Amino acid sequence: MACITKDESEIFYEVSYSNDNSMLLLSEGERFLFTDGRYFEEAKVASKGCEVICVDSLVRGVAATARALKIKKISFDPTVFSHDEFRNLRKLTPSYLEPKKGILAKKRVVKTDAELQKIKTAAKLGRDGFKKFAKKINSLKKAPSEYELGYIAKKTLTSKGVYDVSFEPITAVDENAANPHAGATDKKLLDGSLILFDGGIKFERYCSDRTRTAFFSDGFVFTKTQRFKDKKLQHIYDTVLKAQESAIEAAKPGMKAKELDKIARDVIDKAGYGKYFVHSLGHGVGLDIHEYPYIRKNSDEVLPENSVFTVEPGIYIPGYYGVRIEDMVVLKSDGAEIL
């Protein structure tokens, strides 16, 4: 089987190196990495198990090699390539181009021991960042805006630039937390506010992802034990926590993703908030912050041992509050282990 990709994470997984202008062709156990003169010398040193070829045009380089190897069919992920790239490849190579979504991405679902160790380290560093962020907020002399919170969160999570963030942190206050991917505003964090914080860091390219929702008062912490003055909000929070704990407790290798999603969704439905759980239960995490498996209500993906994914139910009521609690887990033979 021959296939091509230009996705950086997929290329890195295959040859231990990638950059922002490269393409990888895999054929009969051989790997050909195409890149331009800016990265050629670096690629030759850093990549493993491949032949590095310097080209002016990635598409022309792949096409020429495919012709030379007389490859009859090349598989590709249609979500990775642009229409223009596909059109040029089809024009330049005699090989039949076969679309196969996730053809290489799905190889990364089952994590190796080395990968798990890196992910665990990223998760630990992320958790420590949450603790430091709470401590920093508690030390502030005046109420910070969401913009300021986002800046402080990024500085804290990365240990002042030592690490990269997995994604731009979400620091949502009160009703803005009802937007699952809330953008920062000038809204201030006041005593008695709700704060939803979603953040993560990368360790040796592997990501972490975590969300906590907390009641802000002097000395607060991002733990799962939270007490809100608003009784309705407390009920919502307790419902989300129960949904998450129920799903984590039930997770087993061999179950379908939609079965796990349903366990959490049923808890929220029973409490009367089903229409306010507006996203999937979770997603895989590894070299990418979102990757296979996707824990969705319509997904027949089977969850294997040593897969890593988030469990993050939420309830979002527009104009009121939003609550999400998220942890990463690794699926072991006897169930899910929180990372």
Side-chain angles (χ1 to χ4, degrees), residues 3 5 8-17 24 26 31 48-50 103-105 107-108 287:
C3 64
T5 185
E8 282 198 56
S9 293
E10 291 176 1
I11 293 173
F12 180 83
Y13 186 79
E14 297 291 340
V15 300
S16 301
Y17 169 82
L24 183 68
L26 299 90
R31 291 174 170 83
K48 298 177 182 178
C50 66
I103 183 172
L104 290 177
K107 290 174 65 176
R108 309 205 312 265
L287 287 170

Side-chain angles (χ1 to χ4, degrees), residues 7 9-10 77 79-80 101-111 181 209 255-262 265 277 279-304 307-312 326 331:
D7 180 271
S9 293
E10 291 176 1
D77 189 331
T79 66
V80 170
K101 188 175 179 180
I103 183 172
L104 290 177
K106 289 180 180 179
K107 290 174 65 176
R108 309 205 312 265
V109 170
V110 177
K111 302 300 192 277
H181 281 184
D209 194 2
M255 72 188 306
K256 290 183 178 180
K258 65 182 182 183
E259 294 171 338
L260 188 57
D261 181 281
K262 187 176 187 301
R265 205 167 294 277
F277 182 12
H279 55 68
S280 60
L281 179 62
H283 55 85
V285 182
L287 287 170
D288 290 325
I289 191 60
H290 294 106
E291 60 181 46
Y292 292 97
Y294 292 98
I295 318 301
R296 297 168 173 159
K297 60 183 177 181
N298 60 351
S299 174
D300 286 316
E301 284 185 77
V302 175
L303 303 176
S307 57
V308 173
F309 52 87
T310 64
V311 181
E312 49 177 309
E326 174 188 22
L331 207 54

Side-chain angles (χ1 to χ4, degrees), residues 69-332:
L69 295 175
K70 298 180 180 179
I71 299 174
K72 294 182 179 180
K73 182 169 67 175
I74 300 176
S75 298
F76 73 101
D77 189 331
T79 66
V80 170
F81 290 89
S82 69
H83 178 264
D84 187 58
E85 288 165 333
F86 167 74
R87 186 181 60 185
N88 288 333
L89 276 168
R90 188 171 60 179
K91 182 171 65 177
L92 293 170
T93 178
S95 309
Y96 171 69
L97 299 178
E98 179 184 39
K100 283 189 175 181
K101 188 175 179 180
I103 183 172
L104 290 177
K106 289 180 180 179
K107 290 174 65 176
R108 309 205 312 265
V109 170
V110 177
K111 302 300 192 277
T112 65
D113 289 344
E115 287 181 298
L116 287 174
Q117 190 55 52
K118 290 177 182 179
I119 294 170
K120 286 180 179 179
T121 301
K124 181 181 182 299
L125 289 168
R127 180 197 65 194
D128 292 346
F130 270 60
K131 292 178 180 178
K132 292 174 183 176
F133 181 47
K135 186 176 180 181
K136 179 63 178 178
I137 295 174
N138 284 320
S139 72
L140 297 176
K141 302 300 182 184
K142 63 178 183 177
S145 69
E146 289 178 339
Y147 291 124
E148 292 168 318
L149 288 169
Y151 173 78
I152 296 167
K154 195 169 182 179
K155 184 178 178 181
T156 305
L157 286 171
T158 63
S159 296
K160 298 182 179 179
V162 175
Y163 305 103
D164 287 330
V165 288
S166 303
F167 53 93
E168 287 297 312
I170 297 171
T171 51
V173 174
D174 292 335
E175 66 271 15
N176 197 26
N179 299 305
H181 281 184
T185 71
D186 57 6
K187 185 171 182 60
K188 293 187 180 297
L189 179 67
L190 304 173
D191 186 67
S193 290
L194 173 148
I195 176 172
L196 186 154
F197 177 40
D198 187 348
I201 65 102
K202 291 183 179 182
F203 176 75
E204 296 183 9
R205 295 187 70 134
Y206 284 83
C207 301
S208 71
D209 194 2
R210 189 177 197 244
T211 304
R212 292 291 183 265
T213 305
F215 176 79
F216 177 66
S217 59
D218 185 48
F220 94 108
V221 289
F222 285 116
T223 62
K224 289 185 180 180
T225 301
Q226 296 290 330
R227 292 291 175 262
F228 298 89
K229 294 179 179 178
D230 185 318
K231 291 183 178 179
K232 179 182 177 181
L233 177 56
Q234 186 66 54
H235 181 241
I236 290 171
Y237 184 88
D238 293 342
T239 299
V240 172
L241 182 57
K242 182 179 178 182
Q244 196 215 29
E245 291 176 340
S246 297
I248 292 174
E249 184 178 353
K252 296 289 188 297
M255 72 188 306
K256 290 183 178 180
K258 65 182 182 183
E259 294 171 338
L260 188 57
D261 181 281
K262 187 176 187 301
I263 289 166
R265 205 167 294 277
D266 283 350
V267 172
I268 292 174
D269 281 338
K270 188 176 180 180
Y273 296 106
K275 70 177 182 179
Y276 300 111
F277 182 12
V278 296
H279 55 68
S280 60
L281 179 62
H283 55 85
V285 182
L287 287 170
D288 290 325
I289 191 60
H290 294 106
E291 60 181 46
Y292 292 97
Y294 292 98
I295 318 301
R296 297 168 173 159
K297 60 183 177 181
N298 60 351
S299 174
D300 286 316
E301 284 185 77
V302 175
L303 303 176
E305 186 174 347
N306 285 342
S307 57
V308 173
F309 52 87
T310 64
V311 181
E312 49 177 309
I315 295 174
Y316 311 90
I317 302 178
Y320 182 55
Y321 291 112
V323 172
R324 180 168 66 254
I325 303 171
E326 174 188 22
D327 287 291
M328 292 167 56
V329 302
V330 57
L331 207 54
K332 309 304 288 186

Side-chain angles (χ1 to χ4, degrees), residues 3-26 32-44 46-47 50-62 80-82 85 89 104 205:
C3 64
I4 53 172
T5 185
K6 57 170 285 189
D7 180 271
E8 282 198 56
S9 293
E10 291 176 1
I11 293 173
F12 180 83
Y13 186 79
E14 297 291 340
V15 300
S16 301
Y17 169 82
S18 67
N19 61 52
D20 61 7
N21 190 50
S22 58
M23 200 173 289
L24 183 68
L25 170 66
L26 299 90
F32 303 91
L33 178 64
F34 303 87
T35 192
D36 63 63
R38 295 171 300 167
Y39 300 111
F40 181 57
E41 295 299 328
E42 176 184 270
K44 286 194 299 182
S47 62
C50 66
E51 179 182 345
V52 182
I53 302 173
C54 186
V55 293
D56 293 327
S57 164
L58 300 178
V59 169
R60 290 184 180 278
V62 169
V80 170
F81 290 89
S82 69
E85 288 165 333
L89 276 168
L104 290 177
R205 295 187 70 134

